[in-house]
Amino acid sequence: MRSQLMKANAKTLPVTKADEIFKWGDDGAQWIAAPYSKQSLRYVVEQSTVLQQVIEAYKQNIVGFGFRPKYIEEGEETDPRKSEWNALTEVLDWMAFDKTPVEEFEQAIEDRETVGESFMEVLRDPKNNVIEVIRVEPDTMEISKPGYPVEVTIERRGVKKTAYRKFRKFRLGKVFFREFGDPRYMDAETGEYKQDPPAKPATEIIHDKIGAGHYGAPRWIGHVPSLTGARKAEELNWRYFDQGRHTPMAITVTGGQLTPEAETALASYTQAVGNEELQHKILVLEAETTSNGLDDKNVAKVEIKSLADMLQKDALFLDYDDKTRDKILSAFRLPPVYIGLSNDYNRATVEAAKELAEEQVFQPERKKIENLFNRRLLPSYGYKYVEVELGAPEIVDGELITKVIAETKEHLTTNEIRTIVSPMFGLPLKMLKGDEYDMPQQNAPQDPLTVMADAQGKALAKADNGQLAFVLKDVRDSLDELNDVVGGWKGEDDV
């Protein structure tokens, strides 16, 4: 009995973590090899049906609303405050010469979420002020271990303190960089520290990474098997439609063997699956007996047994793809509505999902970038009244605001109500001038005509009951109340 197994060559996309390798450099630093291939990580993102949308949602919702100045404390618009506001606006406008700061940071966020880390080069002017931040390609950037601690001076809001910190070196090809905040001079060609400024000084690098390792790792690294499997499922479905329905089968021969011509025809058939010209053709197999006896039972018999029951159904692949998408959204902590999946959402659930994502994901990410500017990049400018703020979407529950105002309007001023409803209209409403608009509505002056009408109505009601003696007294009391409110009318003795 002779058996043959015909199978195709399987292709895989392994993304494995390499061992940590240290290598001494000519500059005296220990250089570390990256644990993951950046090209492999990018390929996984390119082949995924969900990662690109999730990363795009991160880019747009973290920095997509732009950078802008913000007053540290509210106060009157004085000349020093206005001067700092205009100065910071100009600094932000020139923070990226060829692009906008939003574009630079969007690309940095894409790098971090794709390969696990991003690098940004910092340029300073002769006064040591930061004037530009440029995104640097992370795929071939090398990192060294931190060196010995050095003394640094940290400035914040005009206050300076001394501390000791360790710094790394970075290398991109043959160009060396020093870590942001390293006060020492470094030669960009050799990576060596110098006592005096070298001819080609090394610029600084800000390293933003995910994780606590020397290098960063993307937050979806644990889901590589699921992402690879989802891609394989897509390719299997594509082959199904491209090659037609080819049922897996086992061919058994009893009492004989296939002729060489039949084996050749069978091999040609399996290799030509997918050829439109061969679809709906009939495969004919011939077998010859291996017995020399004269018994009629010694007849070659060929059977074809279907193996279709061993196949996974298409629905399982669809479920697998859905589960993979859910895992990725969970890794990024995003609701499905951010990648366009809103079949089971209504307005209330969408607003709740957006509010949750803002509080748990996007606001903390914006705060990190704001701290980078306000605590590290811009302290040398000495701003006292302004700082950098990232824009954010206005999430407004109109029904809730309307309900709250209806229940508390007697305790709110008109200008306070205008401030509350301003986000509902998507534009700032100017404050109205006048003391009456800054008083709670229950204490606001009443319309004199309304007061007179109420007084006359009450008096006439008593007159109908035969109490005419009290009509003028009630009117007089109402006018006294009106006089206390508006200080208005005069009596006979005042004429």
Side-chain angles (χ1 to χ4, degrees):
M1 179 177 180
R2 183 165 56 92
S3 63
Q4 287 182 291
L5 178 63
M6 299 180 181
K7 62 179 182 178
N9 294 327
K11 295 182 179 180
T12 59
L13 181 64
V15 179
T16 57
K17 185 176 183 179
D19 295 333
E20 197 172 64
I21 300 176
F22 299 92
K23 183 179 180 180
W24 287 99
D26 296 336
D27 58 333
Q30 273 189 305
W31 295 91
I32 312 167
Y36 297 102
S37 168
K38 301 291 198 299
Q39 289 78 11
S40 297
L41 295 173
R42 289 192 182 277
Y43 186 74
V44 172
V45 174
E46 291 174 2
Q47 298 295 310
S48 173
T49 59
V50 63
L51 277 177
Q52 296 183 57
Q53 299 94 300
V54 174
I55 294 174
E56 192 66 28
Y58 259 52
K59 291 165 51 180
Q60 174 59 36
N61 287 277
I62 295 175
V63 297
F65 298 96
F67 294 83
R68 61 194 183 194
K70 170 192 173 184
Y71 283 120
I72 298 174
E73 295 180 358
E74 294 296 332
E76 296 182 2
E77 189 73 9
T78 61
D79 290 339
R81 291 166 61 89
K82 188 174 182 180
S83 177
E84 281 197 3
W85 180 282
N86 295 334
L88 180 54
T89 302
E90 183 178 358
V91 169
L92 292 176
D93 186 43
W94 286 94
M95 190 58 67
F97 290 175
D98 299 329
K99 301 179 181 178
T100 65
V102 170
E103 292 175 323
E104 291 287 354
F105 275 86
E106 281 184 342
Q107 186 61 57
I109 292 173
E110 182 175 343
D111 289 338
R112 188 192 64 184
E113 301 303 327
T114 301
V115 300
E117 57 194 344
S118 67
F119 300 90
M120 302 197 78
E121 182 181 6
V122 179
L123 303 181
R124 297 178 183 268
D125 64 8
K127 297 180 180 179
N128 205 38
N129 293 325
V130 175
I131 58 174
E132 187 176 11
V133 179
I134 308 171
R135 174 255 180 185
V136 179
E137 177 65 43
D139 291 8
T140 56
M141 180 70 79
E142 297 178 84
I143 302 175
S144 75
K145 291 185 65 176
Y148 294 104
V150 296
E151 184 177 352
V152 297
T153 300
I154 303 173
E155 181 179 357
R156 189 169 302 151
R157 301 278 175 85
V159 179
K160 295 183 179 181
K161 293 187 178 182
T162 302
Y164 286 87
R165 283 197 55 198
K166 296 180 179 180
F167 294 95
R168 299 179 186 270
K169 293 181 180 180
F170 301 91
R171 183 171 59 191
L172 185 62
K174 296 182 179 180
V175 181
F176 289 83
F177 302 88
R178 56 194 175 100
E179 187 174 357
F180 180 77
D182 191 340
R184 295 168 291 181
Y185 298 114
M186 179 191 291
D187 193 314
E189 294 182 336
T190 64
E192 297 177 350
Y193 291 109
K194 302 291 184 179
Q195 294 294 331
D196 299 318
K200 294 184 178 180
T203 54
E204 297 168 271
I205 286 289
I206 295 175
H207 183 202
D208 184 20
K209 61 182 179 178
I210 299 175
H214 297 289
Y215 289 85
R219 64 183 80 245
W220 48 264
I221 193 67
H223 301 287
V224 168
S226 298
L227 291 166
T228 305
R231 177 65 185 183
K232 294 297 182 182
E234 294 284 350
E235 293 177 353
L236 180 61
N237 287 335
W238 174 79
R239 286 194 297 270
Y240 174 85
F241 291 107
D242 181 67
Q243 298 177 356
R245 183 170 178 80
H246 171 61
T247 304
M249 59 185 175
I251 301 176
T252 61
V253 181
T254 305
Q257 65 182 10
L258 292 177
T259 63
E261 293 79 8
E263 290 185 8
T264 302
L266 182 59
S268 299
Y269 173 79
T270 57
Q271 295 296 327
V273 169
N275 189 339
E276 296 181 359
E277 295 181 358
L278 296 181
Q279 292 182 9
H280 310 296
K281 295 293 183 70
I282 298 175
L283 176 65
V284 178
L285 298 177
E286 297 180 353
E288 56 186 8
T289 181
T290 58
S291 174
N292 295 327
L294 300 177
D295 192 349
D296 292 340
K297 294 181 179 180
N298 295 327
V299 177
K301 184 178 180 182
V302 179
E303 292 184 276
I304 298 178
K305 297 182 179 180
S306 173
L307 301 179
D309 294 340
M310 300 174 62
L311 282 179
Q312 291 182 322
K313 302 299 181 182
D314 183 64
L316 292 179
F317 289 122
L318 294 179
D319 291 341
Y320 184 86
D321 193 52
D322 292 341
K323 295 297 183 182
T324 299
R325 182 170 55 247
D326 293 341
K327 291 178 182 178
I328 298 302
L329 289 174
S330 175
F332 284 83
R333 297 184 300 158
L334 285 183
V337 69
Y338 277 92
I339 60 171
L341 301 177
S342 57
N343 293 334
D344 56 345
Y345 277 80
N346 54 41
R347 180 179 178 84
T349 55
V350 166
E351 293 297 328
K354 290 173 61 178
E355 183 176 356
L356 181 63
E358 274 293 311
E359 293 178 354
Q360 300 296 321
V361 181
F362 300 131
Q363 287 182 5
E365 290 291 340
R366 294 191 200 103
K367 194 64 178 178
K368 288 172 56 179
I369 299 177
E370 291 172 356
N371 287 336
L372 171 65
F373 275 85
N374 298 323
R375 299 170 69 93
R376 302 187 65 190
L377 293 177
L378 303 181
S380 61
Y381 285 91
Y383 295 130
K384 298 179 180 179
Y385 306 107
V386 294
E387 62 183 7
V388 176
E389 176 186 54
L390 276 169
E394 292 286 352
I395 300 179
V396 180
D397 189 339
E399 296 181 359
L400 178 61
I401 291 178
T402 303
K403 182 179 179 181
V404 170
I405 291 178
E407 295 179 355
T408 62
K409 62 181 181 181
E410 294 182 353
H411 306 284
L412 298 174
T413 68
T414 301
N415 282 331
E416 288 175 342
I417 294 177
R418 291 174 67 85
T419 302
I420 295 173
V421 302
S422 177
M424 297 177 59
F425 298 100
L427 51 87
L429 298 179
K430 295 182 179 181
M431 297 296 99
L432 301 178
K433 296 182 180 180
D435 294 340
E436 64 272 21
Y437 302 115
D438 292 324
M439 297 178 60
Q441 294 192 9
Q442 66 176 358
N443 296 329
Q446 301 183 32
D447 183 9
L449 296 179
T450 303
V451 176
M452 289 295 296
D454 292 341
Q456 292 175 359
K458 294 178 181 179
L460 293 176
K462 292 182 179 180
D464 291 340
N465 294 329
Q467 302 179 12
L468 293 176
F470 298 99
V471 171
L472 295 178
K473 183 178 181 299
D474 290 337
V475 173
R476 177 77 182 194
D477 293 341
S478 298
L479 291 176
D480 287 339
E481 293 178 2
L482 179 61
N483 182 60
D484 294 337
V485 175
V486 297
W489 74 286
K490 299 179 179 179
E492 292 181 357
D493 298 337
D494 300 325
V495 178

